[in-house]
Amino acid sequence: MSFDAVILGSGLGGLQCAFILAKNGMKVCVLEKNAALGGCLQSFKRGTDEFDTGFHYVGALDKGQILERIFRGFGLMDLPWHRLDADGFDQIILGGRSYLLKNGYAEYAEGLSDCFPQRRAEIHAFAGFLKDVGLHITEPLTNNGGDYSTTNPLFESNASDFLRSSLHNSLLEDVVSGASLKIELNRNSLPLYPFAQINSSYIQSAWRLRGRGSMIADTLAEGIRKMGGCIMSCTEAVSLIEKDGKITGVEVEGRTPSLMPDGRKEILEASLFVSDLSPQLTLGLLKETSAVRPVFRRRICRLEQTYGFFTVNLKIKGGKIPYLNRNVYWYSPDLDSVWDVAAQAEKGNIKGLLITQQVPSDGSPYASQMDILAPMDFSQVEQWQNTLPMRRGSAYNDFKARRAGECIRLAENVFPNLGQYTEKVFTSTPLTYRNYTGAIRGSAYGIRKDCNNLTQTLLTTRTPLPNLFFTGQNLNLHGVLGVSITSLMTCSRILGKDKVVSFLE
């Protein structure tokens, strides 16, 4: 079989690239080794209940804001989006006190200034800085169609140092960082740019889907098929075929007997390949070749990963837990700083939680489902890394049950009697994410970016092979918005920026 472009992986980045290329007349094929599309956008069913894997909320989706402009181009704005409370889309519970983060840069600054009146000038200056970052987020694409420059001073700056020098108050630093469990807060290495970009987008506006996150993947897949594209699920790429310094094909193997009986393999040919897999997995598909220098391969394979999550999905008894139209970030009172959560996770301690609920489908004022996420280092489940899903043994199940119980007890600081009001409990660990999303070591945010070693950890969409491109959260930015912008950058390298910037209009 022959195509113009083959996309490896059906995460958000892979599907968006396939959509753009198909819209520009290419015959595309998306390969996905699992049955479900979407990577972290996957949903899963337990009986009649459906839960999300990694999608919880997005920012900058109001009319004219950056994600709305991008999503409109992909036909995603017709989905049932639900706006979170503008007067408090995120709630930070820290040191026994609650802080609400508001939409709108001025409103955000005024809300925090009410809590920290001595720091009003610093807070407004910080909000202005975040606004400026949001206004210039597309410049690398619109200016030259390229990637983020490794000379960008905000990538080279340390986020923690910036907050310390700008806000002059350790508690205020923790509050403005408190909604950042959606980023790995690494005090020594986190660049300022991703911290600022992600927080800025949610301050603009914050939204949930009324329903499952997999609707995003399903909508993109439907659009790809309507434009003549092919999507092959349960089909695993097992090797990339290189000849004369270019990829000529990909060898695939069906993961279900009905697709390719008797374990037979097939080679798909194309002139262009885009990998939404991690760079490590991508290079693992490519045998030793002079086209990829050993030093490049070693560099990629040594890159560190961000932490993963232990997730507790709860089915709640009706009429017991009020639905909150916001997210709650809870931190243990004995935590010195929210920036220490990652270090505590390495020790196996749960010191921070993200608590989120599904929008009630029937309009009820009460929640029927709740997700609790706690950072978890892969070392906590490494002893079971060679086991298969559903076959990891009683010790693993006991470990998950203990962790789930602890998460529920901690969440009762926000929702009293939560355990009593819970009907069903489902759990996942970084091993689950590794198996079902392909994330190395179950990483939540891909490769750890290091402001002290930027040239090694900030990757571009280009590879040593001229017709193989990277996309996805491992490159520049993670999150729905970050991955979407990276997808545009990948396609801009292929098609030229003029055919891609229309997604920003």
Side-chain angles (χ1 to χ4, degrees):
M1 298 176 67
S2 180
F3 301 90
D4 295 321
V6 169
I7 287 79
L8 309 179
S10 72
L12 177 61
L15 291 174
Q16 287 178 329
C17 286
F19 188 103
I20 294 171
L21 297 179
K23 189 173 182 179
N24 281 274
M26 287 192 177
K27 182 182 178 183
V28 303
C29 176
V30 180
L31 301 178
E32 172 54 54
K33 73 172 184 177
N34 293 314
L37 305 177
C40 288
L41 296 174
Q42 293 179 50
S43 302
F44 64 94
K45 273 194 172 183
R46 293 295 182 267
T48 58
D49 302 309
E50 194 164 16
F51 299 90
D52 281 322
T53 298
F55 176 85
H56 296 96
Y57 70 132
V58 297
L61 201 65
D62 205 0
K63 183 68 173 177
Q65 294 174 352
I66 179 60
L67 189 60
E68 188 271 341
R69 289 153 56 196
I70 294 174
F71 269 18
R72 193 179 343 120
F74 287 112
L76 295 170
M77 288 310 299
D78 291 333
L79 296 178
W81 294 104
H82 176 86
R83 185 165 189 166
L84 301 184
D85 288 342
D87 287 336
F89 66 94
D90 279 341
Q91 179 180 10
I92 315 300
I93 300 178
L94 181 64
R97 186 175 176 183
S98 175
Y99 305 86
L100 290 177
L101 302 185
K102 298 183 178 183
N103 285 141
Y105 296 102
E107 292 81 359
Y108 170 86
E110 279 302 306
L112 289 178
S113 295
D114 289 342
C115 300
F116 298 90
Q118 301 297 323
R119 293 288 175 260
R120 183 176 299 273
E122 290 94 333
I123 291 170
H124 276 270
F126 176 67
F129 164 74
L130 294 180
K131 181 178 181 179
D132 187 66
V133 169
L135 289 173
H136 295 89
I137 189 171
T138 62
E139 280 190 354
L141 178 66
T142 55
N143 286 351
N144 56 26
D147 301 288
Y148 282 95
S149 169
T150 55
T151 60
N152 185 319
L154 298 187
F155 269 109
E156 293 180 326
S157 299
N158 179 285
S160 178
D161 290 348
F162 175 84
L163 294 179
R164 187 179 302 112
S165 63
S166 300
L167 300 176
H168 308 112
N169 182 292
S170 59
L171 177 57
L172 177 57
E173 293 169 32
D174 273 358
V175 172
V176 302
S177 305
S180 294
L181 286 182
K182 49 186 176 283
I183 314 169
E184 185 186 66
L185 292 179
N186 190 305
R187 194 184 299 277
N188 297 320
S189 62
L190 179 64
L192 176 57
Y193 188 82
F195 176 90
Q197 176 265 314
I198 289 173
N199 281 288
S200 176
S201 69
Y202 287 96
I203 291 171
Q204 292 177 50
S205 63
W207 304 72
R208 287 176 181 157
L209 267 173
R210 188 183 296 274
R212 65 194 190 282
S214 58
M215 289 188 288
I216 298 174
D218 294 343
T219 301
L220 289 169
E222 180 183 4
I224 293 166
R225 292 188 179 106
K226 284 183 177 179
M227 292 183 286
C230 169
I231 298 178
M232 300 174 66
S233 59
C234 297
T235 306
E236 184 173 10
V238 294
S239 67
L240 289 169
I241 302 167
E242 179 262 337
K243 183 179 180 181
D244 298 329
K246 288 188 176 183
I247 304 299
T248 60
V250 56
E251 186 178 32
V252 299
E253 182 176 12
R255 291 168 64 90
T256 59
S258 61
L259 184 64
M260 294 180 192
D262 305 320
R264 286 182 293 178
K265 299 178 181 179
E266 183 176 347
I267 294 177
L268 306 181
E269 297 179 341
S271 56
L272 173 71
F273 296 82
V274 177
S275 179
D276 190 32
L277 309 179
S278 73
Q280 293 94 326
L281 290 177
T282 305
L283 292 180
L285 298 176
L286 187 62
K287 297 178 180 178
E288 294 293 335
T289 169
S290 59
V292 178
R293 296 168 59 190
V295 66
F296 178 81
R297 192 183 291 268
R298 288 194 298 269
R299 168 202 162 195
I300 296 299
C301 291
R302 290 173 180 169
L303 290 172
E304 296 180 351
Q305 305 294 315
T306 54
Y307 60 55
F309 275 107
F310 181 76
T311 304
V312 186
N313 306 108
L314 303 179
K315 172 68 175 177
I316 307 297
K317 295 178 182 178
K320 298 298 183 180
I321 300 291
Y323 167 72
L324 295 183
N325 198 36
R326 62 177 179 267
N327 306 289
V328 179
Y329 292 83
W330 176 90
Y331 293 95
S332 173
D334 62 2
L335 187 67
D336 291 335
S337 169
V338 301
W339 286 76
D340 296 330
V341 167
Q344 290 294 328
E346 289 183 5
K347 299 176 182 178
N349 300 324
I350 300 175
K351 296 296 183 179
L353 301 175
L354 165 57
I355 307 171
T356 181
Q357 301 170 333
Q358 272 197 12
V359 181
S361 58
D362 58 359
S364 168
Y366 294 96
S368 61
Q369 294 184 8
M370 180 182 295
D371 296 337
I372 306 173
L373 289 83
M376 176 176 278
D377 191 76
F378 189 77
S379 61
Q380 299 301 305
V381 292
E382 198 161 13
Q383 61 181 301
W384 297 290
Q385 65 177 322
N386 296 320
T387 61
L388 297 174
M390 312 302 293
R391 300 180 184 178
R392 304 199 196 277
S394 60
Y396 178 74
N397 293 331
D398 291 343
F399 167 80
K400 291 200 300 177
R402 289 194 302 272
R403 284 301 175 98
E406 184 177 0
C407 286
I408 292 171
R409 287 192 296 274
L410 294 176
E412 286 183 326
N413 287 287
V414 184
F415 299 97
N417 303 314
L418 177 61
Q420 176 184 341
Y421 297 148
T422 295
E423 285 186 358
K424 299 176 183 178
V425 180
F426 308 101
T427 58
S428 59
T429 74
L431 281 178
T432 318
Y433 284 82
R434 182 198 67 176
N435 282 96
Y436 290 101
T437 71
I440 300 293
R441 296 175 68 85
S443 169
Y445 310 122
I447 292 169
R448 178 177 294 139
K449 311 302 186 295
D450 188 346
C451 61
N452 306 299
N453 191 18
L454 202 58
T455 58
Q456 298 296 306
T457 60
L458 189 66
L459 305 182
T460 74
T461 59
R462 291 174 292 188
T463 76
L465 297 121
N467 66 334
L468 173 64
F469 296 83
F470 290 142
T471 200
Q473 71 169 6
N474 287 284
L475 306 188
N476 303 292
L477 303 167
H478 66 268
V480 171
L481 176 56
V483 168
S484 296
I485 291 176
T486 300
S487 300
L488 298 181
M489 290 179 171
T490 300
C491 291
S492 180
R493 286 292 183 193
I494 297 167
L495 300 169
K497 75 170 185 176
D498 292 340
K499 293 185 178 181
V500 175
V501 293
S502 59
F503 279 82
L504 303 176
E505 296 174 352

